[in-house]
Amino acid sequence: MERELVTLAAGGDADAFAALARLCSNRLFAIAHRILRDHHLAEDALQQTLITIWDELPRLRDPEKFDAWSYRVIVRSSVAASRRERRVSIVELLPSDTDPSEEDHVRSIVDRDQLERAFRVLSPDHRAVLVLRHFEGLSLAQIAEVIGVPVGTAASRLHYAARELRTALDAGARAVANRERTA
Amino acid sequence: MSERMDIDQILSDWLQDGAFSAPDAPIEAAIAHARRHPRRRAFGIFRRDVLAPIGRSGLQPAGIAAALVILTLSVLLIVAIGAFLRSNLVPIASPSPTPAASGPLVSPSPTPAATATPQPSTSSEPFMRAIEAGIPVPAAWLGSWYESTLPGFPWILRAGDPYCVTAMSTTQDCMVWELGDGSGHLVNPGIVTLNNGTFAVKWTGGNCNNATSRYTPVLAGGRLTLTWVTGSCQSGNYVFTRTGIGGAPSAPPQPAP
């Protein structure tokens, strides 16, 4: 059904495009949201992606490749949106009362918070390959096709992204340990 | 190896957190764009495959050959049309003797439109954020406050303020906090409104992004007291004191977008 919608939309059928957009938006938005870590920017990226799909769809040779191509567009739109990320969007929660008996829960939040911070340190391109691999479950060959590079380059990029994330996590963990010692 | 597997597993688990459903607004905006911008059909044989590897044309060899043939024929056709038109035009001035024109001046027919690659749309409708319908906050709430527990300076700004429009992409009233440590760091931006006597805040960033919290407001004696009613974020009671009054420090300059 998707192939049929792609073919019709490529021919200029706006209703087919509308159906196609609704069909793929959840998948694309989820990817953008995880790359950008910001709902607002992810909405921008999704909108731009769908517009690009409408404008460029006639140039997709093989309708079967729509998924791979839509991944490429959402990644590019997300990278572009990340450059517009405003500094003011950094937000911290007000201190809230925490039940001391929920220490484990708090620690798991802190760990996830460290992971969030470490992930944000990565470049958008590195975030993208990690999301494609660990959220979408794409193979190296598929990732290579999405980002338009040889498989070896995709593997290398994924390797460096993971290494950078590990480095950022270690740095964050050391900072937390230092704060706890001096508290 | 086990450390790498741990990272992979942690990352996979962590990435399960997050949105799974797309909001309607960007989808509807794109559909509206499609209806307003019907595509002109591209001259297919010259289409660069959008999924071609980066830096390569993506054209197949047979396509390249066909493209060259068609290009050659197009050039010959244009030359022939040009020659035909020249032979039908009344010469205005010519150094060589020509037969006197007996017919009316023939205007050149419009040349066939050159095959144009459809221009990709560069427009992107501005995307504004909004909170539920309500009424603007009272004028007495606007401006800078001081909140001692953070501590910080909440600013409540009227709709149309450059900060609301540019930094938060909203045409409604908005609020943002400046940390009280002198860093100028901004936190907790939100779109605000008054709805059935309840002060509603739709947070627009961080972990509370798009969550809405509601408070019962009471303004008295230079203090705005917000008592939490509902909402999973910022579920506390807050007392805003007018800056510079009753021991509250003066606020830093209003945040700029």
Side-chain angles (χ1 to χ4, degrees):
Chain A
M1 179 187 174
E2 186 178 271
R3 183 196 166 96
E4 191 179 325
L5 288 176
V6 169
T7 304
L8 288 171
D13 187 332
D15 290 334
F17 170 75
L20 183 64
R22 293 191 177 99
L23 200 59
C24 67
S25 284
N26 285 343
R27 169 174 60 86
L28 298 176
F29 182 76
I31 292 170
H33 192 267
R34 282 153 180 79
I35 293 174
L36 292 165
R37 316 305 301 169
D38 184 288
H39 192 98
H40 179 45
L41 290 176
E43 289 188 32
D44 287 349
L46 175 64
Q47 182 173 320
Q48 189 53 53
T49 294
L50 294 176
I51 289 173
T52 300
I53 286 175
W54 169 253
D55 290 339
E56 304 289 320
L57 195 52
R59 292 169 52 192
L60 179 65
R61 278 189 185 284
D62 182 1
E64 295 287 353
K65 297 287 188 179
F66 175 78
D67 278 357
W69 178 54
S70 65
Y71 283 130
R72 178 182 288 192
V73 181
I74 192 67
V75 166
R76 285 185 177 172
S77 297
S78 298
V79 170
S82 72
R83 297 194 185 108
R84 297 193 298 271
E85 189 173 6
R86 304 182 194 96
R87 294 178 187 279
V88 76
S89 66
I90 297 172
V91 172
E92 296 175 5
L93 289 176
L94 287 173
S96 55
D97 293 333
T98 304
D99 186 339
S101 66
E102 295 180 349
E103 185 176 332
D104 288 343
H105 176 60
V106 172
R107 183 164 295 280
S108 72
I109 291 175
V110 170
D111 291 339
R112 299 179 84 80
D113 199 39
Q114 288 173 353
L115 189 50
E116 175 80 34
R117 288 200 183 97
F119 196 79
R120 284 176 179 270
V121 167
L122 306 184
S123 70
D125 291 310
H126 279 171
R127 292 188 217 170
V129 291
L130 290 176
V131 169
L132 292 175
R133 178 69 162 173
H134 296 287
F135 176 68
E136 279 297 294
L138 299 189
S139 67
L140 277 176
Q142 289 171 318
I143 292 173
E145 185 177 37
V146 166
I147 62 179
V149 300
V151 175
T153 304
S156 174
R157 196 172 293 183
L158 191 60
H159 167 75
Y160 284 117
R163 192 175 76 175
E164 200 178 316
L165 180 64
R166 215 171 295 121
T167 302
L169 276 172
D170 291 342
R174 280 197 298 275
V176 169
N178 287 338
R179 278 203 296 273
E180 288 176 346
R181 274 202 298 274
T182 59
Chain B
M1 176 61 86
S2 68
E3 182 187 336
R4 190 176 90 178
M5 289 171 63
D6 288 344
I7 283 288
D8 288 350
Q9 188 59 49
I10 289 171
L11 194 52
S12 294
D13 290 344
W14 177 70
L15 284 171
Q16 290 306 311
D17 286 347
F20 284 92
S21 297
D24 289 336
I27 303 171
E28 296 305 326
I31 293 171
H33 166 87
R35 297 196 192 284
R36 285 196 305 271
H37 298 88
R39 255 186 283 101
R40 286 176 292 162
R41 185 175 292 279
F43 196 44
I45 200 69
F46 290 108
R47 289 191 319 216
R48 180 185 184 282
D49 185 11
V50 286
L51 207 53
I54 306 297
R56 292 171 57 186
S57 70
L59 291 174
Q60 301 299 317
I64 294 174
L68 287 173
V69 167
I70 292 177
L71 179 63
T72 304
L73 290 174
S74 299
V75 169
L76 291 174
L77 184 62
I78 291 171
V79 168
I81 290 173
F84 172 77
L85 293 174
R86 281 194 296 275
S87 70
N88 280 277
L89 283 175
V90 174
I92 296 174
S94 171
S96 52
T98 55
S102 58
L105 182 68
V106 177
S107 300
S109 343
T111 56
T115 54
T117 305
Q119 295 301 313
S121 167
T122 57
S123 68
S124 176
E125 289 84 359
F127 187 76
M128 303 305 284
R129 309 184 70 179
I131 194 174
E132 67 212 29
I135 64 174
V137 300
W141 294 14
L142 301 178
S144 63
W145 298 87
Y146 178 70
E147 201 284 330
S148 62
T149 60
L150 185 57
F153 298 93
W155 285 80
I156 300 178
L157 304 171
R158 179 63 80 207
D161 184 282
Y163 189 88
C164 300
V165 175
T166 304
M168 292 177 56
S169 298
T170 185
T171 56
Q172 295 176 273
D173 298 339
C174 74
M175 176 173 70
V176 66
W177 297 51
E178 286 183 292
L179 288 183
D181 58 2
S183 65
H185 199 72
L186 300 172
V187 298
N188 303 335
I191 307 167
V192 300
T193 192
L194 205 58
N195 195 338
N196 289 327
T198 301
F199 180 56
V201 184
K202 180 177 181 178
W203 309 104
T204 59
N207 296 339
C208 288
N209 193 33
N210 279 337
T212 298
S213 302
R214 301 176 206 284
Y215 309 88
T216 300
V218 174
L219 179 66
R223 282 189 165 78
L224 177 60
T225 303
L226 301 176
T227 305
W228 177 79
V229 177
T230 62
S232 57
C233 273
Q234 316 296 29
S235 55
N237 301 330
Y238 305 106
V239 179
F240 293 0
T241 306
R242 266 301 178 194
T243 52
I245 293 176
S250 299
Q254 177 182 330

